Every structure is written in C-alpha cells, then in structure tokens.
Amino acid sequence: MRRLLAAAGAACLAVACAALGAGAGPARAQGAAAVPDFPLAEVRPGLVGYGLTAGPGGEVERFDVEVLAVQEDAGPGFPLVLVRASGTFIEAAGGVAAGMSGSPVYLPRDGRDALLGAIGYVFPEADHDLALVTPIGAMRDVDVAGAPTSLAVPGLGTAVPVTTPVLMTGTSPRAAALLDELFAGAPTRPFAPLGAQGSANGGAEPAAPPELAPGAAVAVQLIGGDLQLAALGTVTAVEDGSLLALGHPLFGAGRASYGLAPADVTAVVPSDVVPFKLANVRPETVGAVTHDTPAALVGEVGREPETVDLALTVTVSGRSERFAVRLAAGERLYPLLAAIATLDAADRVLRSVGPGKADLAWEVTLRDGTRVRVLEQVTSEEDVGLEAARLAGEPLAVLAGNRFADPQVESVDLSVAFDRDPGSAEVAEVVLEDEKLVAGGHAILHVRLQPYRREAVVRTFSVPLPTDMNGEVTLLVRGGDVPREVEGAPEEGGEVDEPRTFPELLDALRDQVQASELVVESVDEHGDVRRLLRVPLAWVVVGSQDLHVTVAPADEDGSGGDGPGQGEEEDR
C-alpha cells in the first residue's frame, strides 16, 4: 500500500490546506433588535464591557471585560484587541478556558450593547485572564487575508489561538497521536484531556437541545453518527440563519464543510496549564460550516454538511459489530478521520491492546458509481488495533492525494477482521538451486520462511526470467508491503507501480500487492525494477533477502523458455 501512496503522490496527510474561497459573508441581522457592531476605530483602553460563554448545565455565563490595548500589527493580518477578563466565572475557571473560542464580547455604545468581536487568542505562558479579541468585521469577511499563527506581544509573550477541546466517543493515547497528525500544520492545536474530556452523546439528554445563540457551546463535527469526533467552541453571533464562531481558524481551509451540533457543557476544569471545558455532543446535526477563515468559522443553520459515509464492520473471534459513521468530506481530513474511527471501533470490539493480525477489505464508491475494491493485511507484535487503524486510511489517502482527478469519494464500506495471532512470516533465507540462469528460463528459489513463534518452513518457487534479461541483476525476495532495500533501486515505485492516469490509479489500487504476498523482483545495474512473481501466502510476509546473479542470453546455448511453470513448487 505504501508504494501506491508514494507513486500516486498522495500527500494529503501532510499537504497545506486549500486557499481561501470567495463568497459572500453572513447576512447582517435586520430590525430594531439587531445588535450593532462596535467600530474598531472607537476602541480605547479603559472601556469596560462583558462577554458571554457557555457554562455547566446549559447556562450562558456572563463575565466582565476591560479593554487594555489595540494591537494594530497583529500576526493574523488584522488588528486584535487586548482585554482582561474577570468575574466569578473567570476566577472559578482559573482564566480564559479552552472551549471559550468565539465567546462574544460587547462594549457599550450610544446607550446600548455593541458587538466588538470574539475571544480568539490567549497567552498560555502568561496571565490566563488576558485574551485577544478578534474584531467582528474580520470575522464577517470570508475573504479576509492573513496567516493565522502565534504572535508575539511585547511584555506578554506569545499569543496563540485558544486551544480547542476535542471530544471523542473513545479516547486513548494512541488516538491522541492520530489527532496530532490530523491537526499537523493547522493553526489550532487540539486538546484532548484523556479520560476526562466527556463522551459524546454521554449522560442523560435534556428534553430539548440548547439554542445556538451567542455564548452557547457548539460542536464542530468531524466524525458523526455511531462514533463522534468534534471540536468544541462558542457561538459568537447568529444572524438570519448565518452563524459565526471560534474567532480563529480550525484548519484554515477557506471553503470548508463541517457539521455543527449543539453541545452541553458539563464542567469547567481549572488548570495551571490551560483551563478547559468538558462537554457532551448532541447527536443531531443542526447546520454546517461553510468557510474556515483566519478570523472565524462561518456557517449556516439548517444546512447539511458534505460528508463521506463510512460503514465500518469490525470482527473479532466471530463476533462482529457494525458502525455507521459520517466523515467530514475534506480531502485533507477524511483519510485520517477514517483511521481515527477505525481505532475507536477496534478498541470497542477488541477490548484490549496487544499483538495480532488484521485483514482489511474496502469498497470505495465514487459519485459516478465507480467502485474500487481493495484488500490488505497488517500484523503487529504490539498493537494490532493501531496498525489496522493507520492502514484503514491509506487507500483513501491515495485517492485524496492523487494528481490526476478529483476522486469524489461518496462512501466507503470497510471490514476489519482481527486475529489475535500475529500471523506473520519472515523471509529468513533464499537459496538459488542452479546458478546457471538463462533468459527465458526459470530461477528455482528455495525460500526459508520463519512464522511468528512457529517452526520454520521452506517453500520452493519457480521464477520466470524475461527473454530480454541478461547480465548482472539482483533478485529481491520480499513481502508485498516491505520497502525495497537494494542499492540503486527506488525504495518504492518502479515501472510496475506508477499509474499515469486516474483510471490506471484505480486499477493499481484494485490490483495492489498485498502484505500477505511474496514478491520476487529483479533490479538491474541501472536501478530499473521488474516484478517477476507474486504469490499469496497464509501469512503476512515480512523482511526481505536478495541474491546477485548473472543471466545469460537465451541464444548462448539455445535454451530458454523450457523450464518448469511459474509459481510455488513444494514445501520442505
């Protein structure tokens, strides 16, 4: 599988997010009840107002805010307002908490409250009561330019986007590693307090979902359905069905589509490092993010998000469980989201961490009805659940990162069958029966395989030699998913692995060499690779061995092409 990742240019696990898309911003509320914006030009140190944020029990808490300064040359590319938060809620939390991103801040103007913007940045190594407010004008502008990164404020240190709590239905340190990969390169860092972040859909549900109003908690759904992965933030404004939240980007992808769901805050946990909110995510999707900009998440209430449907079946010792899951459809996201969902499901069914083997079968359906079926295996002597999860996203990464065409993945049906025996066999030794090799003939190879904690076996293979092969070559015997380790040969790729069109890519996926196959290849003096034999075995084949041989032209002795048939001959 990793060869196709390399050959297809599947960089979706590490590529930069797409450029910002154009489009109109959220509509402004109309009528006398509308909350006006506070002009940034009128902001002065000493102004006092308040902010709103969700607290435990569905209550929207009010906290005090004092303006300290305006940072004109802020790192995101637009001004930010430095404020100090105070009051009973802030004191109890120990400062501005993770999950308060998007909390609206109001200042008085002309005898009424006006919306300044939203809490967006904090100083994790300084005073936790200090925060930077993203102006509402920047939040409304879906074309706002900027490079949202950390920014240095003289005398206060480095300000960063308020850390985003990540809520999952099942969390482990291994899942946290996958989360780090998911957010790699993103301006926002995930925060998953393992074992303490609250479970999605957990607890007794209130009779009615909380309203998506300013200060309410909102969950940005990356995985929905039977399994959940969501980022927790706060609603800044809802105006004529349009919604603003966060006050900073999530991934900074520009045009985007993530589901929006209500969330119930259960507690705010004080911490010297970073206070954080715990919450439960409601199962219903009530809207969708449409733009992920440097200043905000912009969405629409009632809009359906774009998703990739994942039907996931996990089988252990004849016992199967099936999960219906929706993945955010961004090409940078859904391969890793599939991996995270697979790990969550595997942990539920395996109920332990340990060695084993996994057989994976994918059926990927594209929007035009094309179906791609892929088979692969993986083994691990330590954590088969994690290895299977990493593998689960790889065919999707190949499609998402291909350079030929938009794959338009619609749905994925993935079955993962676990065996607690690692089921691997190492290529321990290769012996050539007759060193006299002739082009068009066969090389008889005796391969000693060492199964995991079993007696070694010897298999004999008859390897056909092409009629145009001659001179010094290296015969490489390896497992189907083992990188080449021959001097001068590409570790991955080669003429047998390089699709040149999207249909060829799909065919390569369907016919990709599996980890349970033994592969024999030739590598000539120029580093050119030719596959001579691939044979399925009962194990996942690991390791490799190589032989340096000389192949004579067929016309030297009139022989060639009369050797035994291709494939496996016998066990010894």
Side-chain angles (χ1 to χ4, degrees):
M1 184 68 72
R2 65 169 63 93
R3 291 184 305 283
L4 277 175
L5 281 167
C12 80
L13 302 185
V15 296
C17 295
L20 292 178
R28 295 293 306 278
Q30 303 295 324
V35 176
D37 293 350
F38 195 100
L40 189 63
E42 296 181 16
V43 177
R44 299 288 184 270
L47 290 176
V48 175
Y50 67 93
L52 298 176
T53 198
E59 296 294 329
V60 173
E61 302 283 352
R62 179 167 170 158
F63 57 94
D64 298 327
V65 170
E66 179 185 0
V67 174
L68 301 181
V70 176
Q71 295 298 124
E72 296 288 354
D73 298 321
F78 43 82
L80 297 172
V81 180
L82 178 65
V83 301
R84 180 178 295 280
S86 61
T88 304
F89 179 83
I90 297 296
E91 291 173 4
V96 177
M100 286 182 63
S101 297
S103 298
V105 173
Y106 303 89
L107 296 177
R109 184 174 188 264
D110 297 333
R112 62 185 301 189
D113 295 332
L115 180 58
L116 173 65
I119 298 288
Y121 293 79
V122 293
F123 300 88
E125 298 177 358
D127 191 337
H128 289 180
D129 293 344
L130 297 177
L132 289 164
V133 173
T134 302
I136 188 63
M139 294 181 68
R140 296 186 194 282
D141 183 3
V142 296
D143 294 320
V144 64
T149 60
S150 60
L151 55 142
V153 178
L156 294 176
T158 301
V160 298
V162 181
T163 305
T164 302
V166 174
L167 310 177
M168 294 182 64
T169 46
T171 307
S172 69
R174 295 126 69 243
L178 294 178
L179 282 177
D180 285 342
E181 293 181 35
L182 181 67
F183 282 85
T188 303
R189 303 311 305 156
F191 178 71
L194 302 179
Q197 81 281 14
S199 60
N201 301 331
E205 289 190 5
E211 181 184 1
L212 288 183
V218 64
V220 183
Q221 295 176 309
L222 301 176
I223 299 177
D226 294 337
L227 307 173
Q228 293 273 351
L229 173 65
L232 181 68
T234 303
V235 176
T236 305
V238 180
E239 302 167 338
D240 292 344
S242 296
L243 179 144
L244 295 171
L246 234 56
H248 60 73
L250 185 61
F251 295 103
R255 286 191 179 275
S257 186
Y258 322 130
L260 292 171
D264 302 311
V265 175
T266 58
V268 182
V269 180
S271 170
D272 291 337
V273 179
V274 54
F276 56 91
K277 292 183 179 182
L278 301 180
N280 292 321
V281 180
R282 293 297 190 112
E284 60 266 23
T285 299
V286 297
V289 170
T290 58
H291 293 80
D292 183 356
T293 81
L297 293 185
V298 181
E300 294 182 16
V301 178
R303 185 186 183 107
E304 286 292 326
E306 298 174 12
T307 60
V308 173
D309 292 335
L310 172 63
L312 178 59
T313 303
V314 178
T315 303
V316 179
S317 302
R319 176 172 55 88
S320 295
E321 291 191 30
R322 191 168 177 83
F323 305 86
V325 182
R326 299 182 303 275
L327 311 177
E331 291 183 352
R332 181 187 178 276
L333 301 179
Y334 65 75
L336 270 170
L337 294 176
I340 292 170
T342 301
L343 180 59
D344 188 353
D347 283 349
R348 289 170 176 238
V349 184
L350 279 170
R351 300 174 185 171
S352 64
V353 176
K357 175 189 174 186
D359 291 86
L360 289 82
W362 298 259
E363 182 175 84
V364 182
T365 302
L366 309 185
R367 290 180 198 168
D368 65 359
T370 299
R371 295 187 177 185
V372 184
R373 295 178 176 87
V374 183
L375 299 175
E376 185 58 291
Q377 307 79 33
V378 68
T379 183
S380 174
E381 296 177 14
E382 297 179 354
D383 189 348
V384 67
L386 179 59
E387 293 305 315
R390 291 189 181 280
L391 180 59
E394 288 193 5
L396 304 180
V398 171
L399 291 170
N402 88 87
R403 63 184 181 272
F404 306 115
D406 178 358
Q408 298 187 337
V409 174
E410 181 174 81
S411 64
V412 181
D413 194 316
L414 171 60
S415 297
V416 186
F418 288 99
D419 189 323
R420 297 188 186 275
D421 187 317
S424 63
E426 181 182 7
V427 180
E429 185 181 12
V430 177
V431 176
L432 182 64
E433 182 171 287
D434 186 350
E435 293 186 359
K436 185 178 180 180
L437 300 179
V438 179
H442 288 74
I444 307 301
L445 301 181
H446 304 292
V447 180
R448 183 165 65 88
L449 298 163
Q450 179 59 65
Y452 180 73
R453 294 183 177 178
R454 300 285 193 276
E455 290 186 4
V457 296
V458 175
R459 293 285 177 90
T460 299
F461 302 94
S462 177
V463 180
L465 303 176
T467 56
D468 61 346
M469 177 181 289
N470 67 84
E472 303 289 331
V473 299
T474 298
L475 295 181
L476 175 62
V477 182
R478 62 183 178 91
D481 206 33
V482 176
R484 299 186 186 102
E485 296 181 353
V486 176
E487 184 176 353
E491 182 177 299
E492 310 294 350
E495 65 174 75
V496 295
D497 298 318
E498 294 181 354
R500 294 171 175 82
T501 65
F502 188 66
E504 286 185 11
L505 174 69
L506 298 184
D507 288 340
L509 269 173
R510 296 182 180 104
D511 195 41
Q512 58 110 10
V513 177
Q514 300 172 41
S516 61
E517 290 182 287
L518 183 112
V519 176
V520 181
E521 295 170 324
S522 67
V523 183
D524 66 18
E525 59 183 350
H526 303 293
D528 293 331
V529 178
R530 285 200 273 189
R531 183 170 300 146
L532 307 179
L533 181 70
R534 53 184 289 194
V535 179
L537 299 180
W539 312 277
V540 170
V541 184
V542 298
S544 65
Q545 297 287 332
D546 58 78
L547 295 172
H548 299 286
V549 301
T550 301
V551 179
D555 57 2
E556 281 195 4
D557 60 1
S559 63
D562 57 351
Q566 173 180 334
E568 185 177 343
E569 279 200 339
E570 60 177 325
D571 291 354
R572 293 189 181 181

